[in-house]
Amino acid sequence: MTDEFTFDDVAVVMGTYNEEQAIGAVLADIDRVTDGRAEVVCVDGSDDRTPEIARKMGATVIEQEPQGYGVAVREAVLTPDRPVVVTTDCDDTYPMEMLPEFLERINDGDDVVSGDRLARGADAMPTLNRYGNHAFALLASLLMGRRVHDTTTGMRAYRRELLHDITWTENTGLSAELLIRPLMRGYDVTEVGIPYRERAGETKLDPFHGGAAIAASIVTVCLEERLR
Ligand SMILES: Nc1nc2c(ncn2[C@@H]2O[C@H](COP(=O)(O)OP(=O)(O)OP(=O)(O)O)[C@@H](O)[C@H]2O)c(=O)[nH]1
Ligand SMILES: [Mg+2]
C-alpha cells in the first residue's frame, strides 16, 4: 500500500495584494479545516496590513514587488517542499472546507484537481466575468480537444513534482497555463464543482486588459504544447 498524503503533506499558497479585509478569514478557514497542519505561504506585494496579519496567523510571508497575479503565484507554487500544493485567492471567494475532498482526489491518483466554479452557477461572480470565464473554457477546450469548464479558477491542488517539471511563462494567464500544460502533457487532471462566494475587498484584476491577456495566454500555451 502506498502511503496516503495527509494535511501534514499539504501547503496552501496564494498571492496576496492588499487583502487585509479578507486574509484573516481565509487563513482562519485553512487553519480550522486542516487542524492547523497545512503549511501556508503568502507571496505578498501589499502596502496595507496583509503581511502583518498573515505572519501573526502563522503563515510564511515572502515579500515581492507587485508585478501581477502570475509572478506572485508562480513564486508561491514553487516555494513549498511539501508534496501537495494547493492554490487559492486571498479574497475569501474559495471554499476551504473542500480541502479534504481535493486531498482525497490527489490520494486517488489525480495529479491536478481543479475547482470548477461554473459547475454550480457561480452566482456571486460578476456577470461579465462569468461570461468571460465560460468563453475562456470554450476556447481552451477547442484548442486542446478536451472539454474543460473553468480555466481561470484560483483553487487547485497539484502534485508538487509537476510544478517543477514544467516551465511556467504566463502572468495574468498563469491560472489557465497551470491547467492547460499538465493536461496536454497527459497528467491526470480532473475538475470538481465548487461553490464560489462574493469577494471581500477590491478586485486586483481589470476585466478588459486582464481578459485579453488571459485569452492570449490560452492561445499561446495551447499552440506551444501542440508544437512540443
Ligand atoms: N503578490 C501579489 N498578489 C497579487 C497580485 N495581483 C493579484 N494578486 C493576488 O492574487 C489573487 C487573485 O487576484 P484577484 O483580485 O482575486 O483576481 P480575480 O480572482 O481574477 O478577481 P476577483 O473576481 O475580483 O476575485 C488575490 O489573492 C490577489 O491579492 C500582485 O501583483 N502581487
Ligand atoms: Mg479572486
Side-chain angles (χ1 to χ4, degrees):
M1 199 184 102
T2 52
D3 282 341
E4 297 228 318
F5 294 126
T6 69
F7 283 124
D8 294 321
D9 302 305
V10 172
V12 182
V13 309
M14 61 199 89
T16 59
Y17 186 24
N18 293 342
E19 301 288 5
E20 67 183 7
Q21 290 182 54
I23 191 160
V26 174
L27 299 193
D29 281 355
I30 296 167
D31 197 63
R32 177 176 49 78
V33 172
T34 72
D35 220 0
R37 289 158 67 190
E39 174 189 17
V40 177
V41 176
C42 300
V43 174
D44 183 72
S46 306
D47 44 35
D48 69 359
R49 291 184 54 247
T50 302
E52 187 188 324
I53 299 167
R55 282 199 187 93
K56 255 193 206 132
M57 294 182 73
T60 299
V61 177
I62 297 169
E63 288 179 34
Q64 184 193 72
E65 283 302 306
Q67 298 159 77
Y69 171 82
V71 176
V73 173
R74 180 169 62 237
E75 170 107 25
V77 297
L78 294 177
T79 295
D81 289 326
R82 294 194 180 196
V84 181
V85 178
V86 177
T87 56
T88 188
D89 283 2
C90 190
D91 55 6
D92 204 26
T93 50
Y94 288 98
M96 293 300 101
E97 61 276 11
M98 286 191 71
L99 285 170
E101 188 173 335
F102 276 57
L103 181 58
E104 202 176 298
R105 284 173 186 255
I106 293 283
N107 278 325
D108 286 344
D110 288 341
D111 298 309
V112 179
V113 183
S114 186
D116 171 6
R117 300 163 294 176
L118 301 165
R120 299 193 185 178
D123 294 335
M125 192 183 287
T127 308
L128 179 66
N129 296 25
R130 193 163 56 244
Y131 281 120
N133 287 325
H134 276 297
F136 297 143
L138 208 54
L139 175 65
S141 301
L142 288 169
L143 294 171
M144 289 193 291
R146 159 146 172 209
R147 187 71 169 108
V148 288
H149 299 87
D150 189 358
T151 44
T152 49
T153 180
M155 185 175 178
R156 293 203 192 100
Y158 305 85
R159 286 181 193 272
R160 177 181 181 274
E161 304 124 58
L162 80 87
L163 293 166
H164 292 264
D165 288 346
I166 298 174
T167 303
W168 309 103
T169 57
E170 303 306 295
N171 191 355
T172 308
L174 180 69
S175 171
E177 182 182 22
L178 281 162
L179 182 73
I180 292 167
R181 289 201 201 272
L183 223 156
M184 292 183 80
R185 293 184 194 202
Y187 287 96
D188 286 324
V189 178
T190 50
E191 292 186 293
V192 47
I194 59 169
Y196 189 68
R197 290 189 294 256
E198 201 173 317
R199 198 188 200 299
E202 275 168 33
T203 185
K204 310 302 176 295
L205 183 89
D206 174 90
F208 291 101
H209 289 106
I214 291 166
S217 287
I218 290 171
V219 173
T220 307
V221 167
C222 285
L223 290 180
E224 279 179 8
E225 290 297 320
R226 278 223 182 271
L227 296 170
R228 240 182 111 245

